[in-house]
Amino acid sequence: MVSTYISGLLLGFSLILAIGAQNAFVLKQGLLKQHVFWVCLVCALSDAVLICFGVFGFASILSQQVGLIQVMKYFGAAFLFIYGLRSFYNAYKSNSGLVASIQPTTTLAQTLMLCLSFSWLNPHVYLDTVVLLGSISAQYTDKVAFAAGAVSASFLFFFSLGFGARLLRPVFANPKAWKLLDGIIGVVMWMIALSLLR
């Protein structure tokens, strides 16, 4: 049981560590200290639901819904393109560092809607959590321990990223660092959007 849990944990970490739209959003919210707990919780719970879908047999159902995946692909690409454009605009217009950005610019509801969009509109998330983790879990007899390990990885990662981001706040007091982050986020969003359309 313990070895199966650790396998799920390590595989979960390996899939989630790559920088993506969701991770960039959590990092930015952590730097701004805006609704960090709720953002981390929504991301981790979303991953947990998708992981459980995959591990407990929903991968085969999802693989049959080709039309739904295509629709999500285009919605996801459009969403990421618009958010990336917004990041480029912020990088171009902003002349202030993190200190000027401390006041919340979005309500909790708006932030959670963005968070849910990053979590559910990206087909890559389904491929990683539902299809890949679901297919790998088939080789383990204790699926509950495997799923628990993968879910633990999501909770540990998102909460560490969200609340650990504050350690970088002195760096992002510099306007150039904040511009650079917005620019990098814009590039990441557009790269993921383009990969969805290929």
Side-chain angles (χ1 to χ4, degrees):
M1 177 180 171
V2 175
S3 62
T4 303
Y5 174 86
I6 292 172
S7 295
L9 182 74
L10 294 177
L11 185 59
F13 271 127
S14 69
L15 291 175
I16 204 170
L17 282 175
I19 187 165
Q22 194 181 41
N23 297 353
F25 179 71
V26 174
L27 175 64
K28 190 166 184 179
Q29 292 302 120
L31 285 168
L32 292 171
K33 291 187 177 179
Q34 292 180 7
H35 317 298
V36 180
F37 173 80
W38 293 108
V39 166
C40 294
L41 184 63
V42 166
C43 287
L45 286 176
S46 296
D47 262 17
V49 169
L50 291 168
I51 288 166
C52 290
F53 277 178
V55 171
F56 299 111
F58 287 87
S60 58
I61 296 171
L62 181 67
S63 64
Q64 295 169 11
Q65 303 298 320
V66 179
L68 177 62
I69 291 173
Q70 287 297 315
V71 169
M72 287 175 54
K73 181 170 78 170
Y74 292 117
F75 271 115
F79 169 75
L80 291 171
F81 180 80
I82 292 167
Y83 194 87
L85 192 63
R86 189 180 117 175
S87 293
F88 285 129
Y89 178 78
N90 289 341
Y92 174 73
K93 293 294 285 183
S94 175
N95 290 312
S96 58
L98 187 59
V99 176
S101 304
I102 288 176
Q103 293 300 319
T105 55
T106 56
T107 65
L108 176 59
Q110 290 170 328
T111 301
L112 292 184
M113 285 303 296
L114 271 174
C115 188
L116 287 167
S117 298
F118 283 121
S119 300
W120 292 90
L121 284 181
N122 185 354
H124 284 305
V125 173
Y126 294 88
L127 293 175
D128 285 347
T129 55
V130 179
V131 178
L132 186 57
L133 276 172
S135 59
I136 292 173
S137 71
Q139 64 186 305
Y140 295 95
T141 53
D142 192 348
K143 292 184 181 297
V144 173
F146 183 84
V151 167
S152 297
S154 288
F155 274 86
L156 287 169
F157 176 79
F158 284 120
F159 278 91
S160 297
L161 180 64
F163 286 99
R166 64 186 62 198
L167 300 174
L168 297 173
R169 285 174 64 82
V171 174
F172 286 95
N174 182 337
K176 289 181 181 176
W178 197 249
K179 279 177 173 284
L180 180 64
L181 177 67
D182 272 325
I184 290 171
I185 289 173
V187 169
V188 168
M189 300 299 170
W190 278 16
M191 285 176 62
I192 296 171
L194 287 172
S195 74
L196 290 177
L197 296 174
R198 285 179 187 160

